[in-house]
PDB file of all heavy atoms in Angstrom:
ATOM      1  N   GLU A 200      13.581   8.452   3.885  1.00 95.00           N
ATOM      2  CA  GLU A 200      14.000   9.845   4.090  1.00 95.00           C
ATOM      3  C   GLU A 200      15.198   9.922   5.033  1.00 95.00           C
ATOM      4  O   GLU A 200      15.663  11.011   5.386  1.00 95.00           O
ATOM      5  CB  GLU A 200      12.831  10.667   4.646  1.00 95.00           C
ATOM      6  CG  GLU A 200      11.917  11.252   3.572  1.00 95.00           C
ATOM      7  CD  GLU A 200      11.352  10.242   2.582  1.00 95.00           C
ATOM      8  OE1 GLU A 200      10.629   9.333   3.026  1.00 95.00           O
ATOM      9  OE2 GLU A 200      11.649  10.346   1.389  1.00 95.00           O
ATOM     10  N   ASN A 277      12.120   6.173  -3.057  1.00 98.00           N
ATOM     11  CA  ASN A 277      13.032   7.135  -3.670  1.00 98.00           C
ATOM     12  C   ASN A 277      14.486   6.815  -3.338  1.00 98.00           C
ATOM     13  O   ASN A 277      14.788   6.283  -2.274  1.00 98.00           O
ATOM     14  CB  ASN A 277      12.720   8.549  -3.153  1.00 98.00           C
ATOM     15  CG  ASN A 277      12.867   8.660  -1.640  1.00 98.00           C
ATOM     16  OD1 ASN A 277      12.037   8.171  -0.900  1.00 98.00           O
ATOM     17  ND2 ASN A 277      13.947   9.275  -1.176  1.00 98.00           N
ATOM     18  N   ASP A 319      11.280  12.795  -5.240  1.00 98.00           N
ATOM     19  CA  ASP A 319      10.706  11.888  -4.238  1.00 98.00           C
ATOM     20  C   ASP A 319       9.550  11.080  -4.808  1.00 98.00           C
ATOM     21  O   ASP A 319       8.536  10.880  -4.148  1.00 98.00           O
ATOM     22  CB  ASP A 319      10.261  12.649  -2.975  1.00 98.00           C
ATOM     23  CG  ASP A 319       9.875  11.702  -1.846  1.00 98.00           C
ATOM     24  OD1 ASP A 319      10.516  10.634  -1.727  1.00 98.00           O
ATOM     25  OD2 ASP A 319       8.934  12.013  -1.099  1.00 98.00           O
ATOM     26  N   ASP A 321       8.684   7.970  -4.987  1.00 98.00           N
ATOM     27  CA  ASP A 321       8.763   6.577  -4.535  1.00 98.00           C
ATOM     28  C   ASP A 321       7.986   5.675  -5.498  1.00 98.00           C
ATOM     29  O   ASP A 321       6.846   5.991  -5.833  1.00 98.00           O
ATOM     30  CB  ASP A 321       8.136   6.427  -3.144  1.00 98.00           C
ATOM     31  CG  ASP A 321       8.889   7.166  -2.061  1.00 98.00           C
ATOM     32  OD1 ASP A 321       9.104   8.376  -2.220  1.00 98.00           O
ATOM     33  OD2 ASP A 321       9.265   6.537  -1.061  1.00 98.00           O
ATOM     34  N   ARG A 346       3.417   7.142  -8.117  1.00 98.00           N
ATOM     35  CA  ARG A 346       3.481   8.482  -7.551  1.00 98.00           C
ATOM     36  C   ARG A 346       3.822   9.532  -8.623  1.00 98.00           C
ATOM     37  O   ARG A 346       3.449  10.684  -8.518  1.00 98.00           O
ATOM     38  CB  ARG A 346       4.598   8.456  -6.494  1.00 98.00           C
ATOM     39  CG  ARG A 346       4.444   9.534  -5.477  1.00 98.00           C
ATOM     40  CD  ARG A 346       4.703   8.989  -4.118  1.00 98.00           C
ATOM     41  NE  ARG A 346       5.625   9.837  -3.389  1.00 98.00           N
ATOM     42  CZ  ARG A 346       6.004   9.604  -2.147  1.00 98.00           C
ATOM     43  NH1 ARG A 346       5.562   8.528  -1.509  1.00 98.00           N
ATOM     44  NH2 ARG A 346       6.816  10.424  -1.532  1.00 98.00           N
TER      45      ARG A 346
HETATM   46 CA1   CA B 602       9.992   9.073  -0.086  1.00 73.17          CA
END
Side-chain angles (χ1 to χ4, degrees):
E200 273 54 61
N277 60 286
D319 189 35
D321 294 54
R346 203 137 131 178

